[in-house]
Amino acid sequence: MAKPYKTVTLRLNASQYGHLQRQSEASGLKMEPLLRQLIMGVNLRPRPPDTYAALLRELNAIGTNINQIAHNTNARKEAGQTDIDEAVKLVRQAYRLIKETL
């Protein structure tokens, strides 16, 4: 059974209200949920950039490819130049993606 909400009136000056708006935008939460979280002592962090999820997917794919290269190299007991070039390419791609996101 849901508990009924109680109403609290909060008065803010323009500076305080502006700060609350900026915190709301940075966290991705509306003001009321943001205030509820803060009251409960939750340590809020800024919302990650929209490109963050895509970056994680790309890095996961790159890691999978590097793992496959390592597995094939271990099976043959040697690393060919093509394998090394591919691994370097993937690491450079990961670096580029991270640099673009930050």
Side-chain angles (χ1 to χ4, degrees):
M1 182 151 102
K3 296 180 182 180
Y5 284 99
K6 304 292 183 185
T7 302
V8 174
T9 301
L10 177 65
R11 290 183 174 89
L12 303 172
N13 64 31
S15 174
Q16 294 166 334
Y17 187 77
H19 180 74
L20 178 60
Q21 281 183 312
R22 289 188 297 278
Q23 293 297 316
S24 174
E25 290 169 7
S27 70
L29 295 172
K30 293 184 179 181
M31 286 187 208
E32 285 185 21
L34 171 69
L35 289 170
R36 286 188 197 106
Q37 294 289 319
L38 291 172
I39 288 168
M40 297 306 293
V42 174
N43 185 15
L44 297 174
R45 297 181 188 154
R47 183 181 66 166
D50 294 336
T51 56
Y52 189 72
L55 173 65
L56 288 178
R57 281 191 301 276
E58 288 294 325
L59 288 175
N60 186 49
I62 290 167
T64 299
N65 289 342
I66 290 174
N67 190 40
Q68 289 172 349
I69 291 169
H71 178 74
N72 290 337
T73 300
N74 285 335
R76 291 189 318 246
K77 303 293 186 210
E78 64 181 37
Q81 189 61 45
T82 304
D83 295 326
I84 295 169
D85 291 343
E86 180 66 17
V88 169
K89 177 182 147 196
L90 292 171
V91 170
R92 286 185 178 145
Q93 182 180 358
Y95 176 79
R96 181 185 52 76
L97 288 169
I98 292 169
K99 191 172 178 182
E100 286 174 4
T101 299
L102 302 176

